[in-house]
């Protein structure tokens, strides 16, 4: 894998075209394939507009923009990817669709080429199983927008050759990205650990503790998050966020910690998808902004402690179950979703006894398994240990 490696991208949506932009900016020839010509042409026009804005802002020169565009070829026939040394799939989050694409790619590209999936939560092992050479399949999960977000999760399947992992990491690192390694478990690092940010915030709303704007205000001001959970769900898209929650819940064999909410389901059913539809938890018509409110300090504190303790517990349990290393877990949450601090370091600052106390009180009050503390949290709190020296 080097600058001469031709990069293939399957899917020309926002993620696919964003990945193509990243690779082309780093000097690679890139081939983007989409079987729908109108979507392909739309992606091409949008990329041109993005590059023109970067020129206007002085981020790149007009010559550089032209060179980036010149390195990207847009095609409708997947067979044209035969010369690619690294192909990344970025299509709809449907396992059957992805498996069908990988089965095709396995025959089209050379035996030494690497096949990657940008799935955010589906099993890389299941995707790899559709190939005759599953050892060259790997997960490479970018975050949206790919050109701006620094984090990329790299996820080996059960079958993935260790050399493929090393080559993939080296390649993506060369694209000026921050990479973390994650086990092939539902949601990987970020989409697993982040579930309580949304789910517990919705639960607080459903209980009538506070309205959307008050919960968002609390987590921005007390928690230090750049966006509150409801404005972030609206930004991501309620359909996208709900689909990831459903996938993680199902893939974890319906563990109540990841249970979806009726509130978000109804939003999706009502087509209140957030910013892209003009309405979600907030109304974005006529240029309206997310309302800010004054919230009682004690209420802000209790909301923040409840949500953040749940997030910390998820990170601690991910470490306990070997999903990723301590440093990669903290790096993923700060670089992937802009959390103000790594959750394990943040838990040290709070004190693990405090985190455990919050969770045990919730567990006692509700009697629900969603609040069960991680065994590692119990063990470390009892021994007065910390994650960092």
């Amino acid at each position: 894998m080097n600058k001469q490696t031709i990069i293939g991208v399957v899917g020309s949506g926002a993620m696919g075209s964003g990945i193509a932009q990243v690779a082309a900016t780093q000097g690679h020839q890139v081939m983007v394939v989409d079987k729908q010509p109108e979507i392909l042409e739309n992606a091409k026009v949008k990329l041109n507009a993005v590059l023109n804005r970067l020129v206007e802002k002085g981020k790149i020169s007009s010559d550089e923009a032209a060179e980036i565009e010149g390195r990207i070829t847009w095609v409708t026939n997947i067979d044209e990817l035969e010369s690619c040394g690294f192909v990344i799939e970025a299509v709809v989050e449907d396992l059957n669709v992805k498996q069908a694409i990988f089965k095709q790619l396995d025959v089209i590209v050379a035996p030494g080429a690497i096949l990657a999936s940008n799935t955010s939560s589906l099993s890389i092992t299941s995707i790899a199983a559709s190939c005759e050479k599953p050892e060259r399949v790997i997960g490479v999960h970018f975050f949206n927008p790919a050109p701006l977000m620094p984090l990329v999760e790299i996820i080996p399947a059960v079958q993935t050759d260790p050399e493929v992992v090393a080559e993939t990491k080296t390649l993506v690192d060369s694209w000026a990205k921050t990479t973390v390694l994650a086990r092939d478990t539902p949601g990987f690092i970020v989409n697993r650990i982040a579930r309580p940010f949304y789910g517990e915030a919705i639960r607080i709303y459903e209980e009538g503790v506070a309205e959307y704007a008050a919960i968002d205000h609390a987590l921005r001001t007390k928690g230090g998050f750049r966006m509150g959970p409801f404005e972030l769900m609206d930004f991501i898209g309620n359909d996208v966020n709900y689909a990831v929650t459903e996938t993680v819940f199902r893939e974890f064999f319906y563990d109540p910690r990841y249970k979806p909410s009726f509130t978000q389901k109804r939003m999706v059913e009502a087509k209140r998808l957030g910013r892209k539809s003009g309405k979600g938890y907030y109304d974005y018509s006529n240029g309206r902004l997310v309302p800010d409110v004054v919230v009682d300090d004690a209420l802000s504190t209790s909301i923040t402690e409840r949500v953040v303790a749940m997030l910390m517990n998820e990170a601690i349990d991910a470490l306990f179950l070997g999903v990723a290393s301590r440093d990669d877990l903290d790096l993923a949450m700060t670089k992937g979703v802009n959390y103000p601090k790594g959750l394990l370091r943040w838990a040290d600052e709070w004190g693990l006894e405090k985190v455990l106390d919050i969770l045990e009180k919730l567990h006692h009050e509700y009697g629900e398994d969603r609040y069960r503390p991680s065994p590692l949290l119990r063990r470390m709190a009892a021994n007065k240990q910390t994650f960092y020296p």
Side-chain angles (χ1 to χ4, degrees), residues 132-319:
E132 291 295 323
K133 294 179 279 294
E135 65 276 2
R136 55 149 161 196
V137 176
I138 192 166
V140 178
H141 179 220
F142 286 78
F143 290 78
N144 197 25
L148 298 180
M149 296 301 287
L151 186 77
V152 177
E153 294 177 320
I154 294 178
I155 311 101
V158 169
Q159 309 96 313
T160 307
D161 189 312
E163 287 188 15
V164 169
V165 181
E167 285 190 61
T168 300
K169 189 177 189 308
T170 298
L171 178 68
V172 180
D173 282 341
S174 76
W175 294 353
K177 293 298 181 183
T178 299
T179 56
V180 291
L181 287 172
R183 279 183 62 193
D184 186 16
T185 54
F188 314 133
I189 299 174
V190 172
N191 277 319
R192 172 191 185 148
I193 292 175
R195 291 338 311 150
F197 190 65
Y198 316 110
E200 199 59 22
I202 294 173
R203 181 67 175 267
I204 290 168
Y205 162 77
E206 289 174 339
E207 291 174 12
V209 174
E211 295 296 315
Y212 307 140
I215 297 167
D216 280 349
H217 176 90
L219 284 157
R220 284 197 311 270
T221 56
K222 284 286 182 183
F225 293 91
R226 293 188 187 181
M227 297 177 77
F230 295 99
E231 56 182 321
L232 183 53
M233 285 186 281
D234 275 357
F235 181 79
I236 293 167
N238 281 303
D239 53 340
V240 174
N241 190 273
Y242 182 71
V244 172
T245 301
E246 273 198 316
T247 298
V248 172
F249 182 52
R250 182 182 65 250
E251 294 298 312
F252 268 113
F253 307 111
Y254 305 101
D255 187 325
R257 279 172 24 195
Y258 310 108
K259 186 178 179 180
S261 75
F262 283 115
T263 295
Q264 193 171 36
K265 187 174 190 288
R266 295 293 179 260
M267 283 287 179
V268 175
E269 291 170 343
K271 295 183 170 52
R272 293 188 175 185
L273 307 182
R275 288 181 181 269
K276 63 185 176 185
S277 68
K279 199 166 190 178
Y281 293 105
Y282 301 108
D283 188 345
Y284 302 94
S285 60
N286 302 317
R288 292 185 196 175
L289 299 176
V290 174
D292 201 3
V293 295
V294 177
V295 184
D296 175 79
D297 189 69
L299 179 60
S300 285
T301 298
S302 69
I303 289 169
T304 300
E305 287 188 346
R306 180 168 165 179
V307 172
V308 174
M310 293 283 283
L311 289 169
M312 290 172 177
N313 192 49
E314 276 301 316
I316 293 167
D317 211 46
L319 181 64

Side-chain angles (χ1 to χ4, degrees), residues 62 75 119 136 302 325 383:
S62 56
V75 301
T119 179
R136 55 149 161 196
S302 69
S325 69
N383 293 326

Side-chain angles (χ1 to χ4, degrees), residues 17 20 22 62 215 255 280 285 328 334 356 374:
S17 58
V22 169
S62 56
I215 297 167
D255 187 325
S285 60
D328 277 2
T334 53
L356 180 60
S374 169

Side-chain angles (χ1 to χ4, degrees), residues 46-106:
K46 284 184 176 179
L47 179 59
N48 177 263
V50 167
L51 293 173
N52 285 339
R53 283 198 297 273
L54 291 174
V55 172
E56 290 168 7
K57 291 178 180 179
K59 302 288 186 182
I60 58 175
S61 68
S62 56
D63 286 346
E64 287 172 321
E67 288 171 3
I68 292 167
E69 284 192 280
R71 293 188 192 108
I72 302 176
T73 305
W74 308 83
V75 301
T76 55
N77 188 347
I78 197 169
D79 290 340
E80 294 193 48
L81 300 183
E82 63 180 352
S83 61
C84 295
F86 184 92
V87 180
I88 182 163
E89 161 275 315
V91 301
V92 63
E93 283 287 277
D94 183 300
L95 182 60
N96 292 328
V97 172
K98 291 181 187 292
Q99 286 177 325
I101 289 170
F102 273 78
K103 195 169 184 177
Q104 283 182 283
L105 291 171
D106 197 37

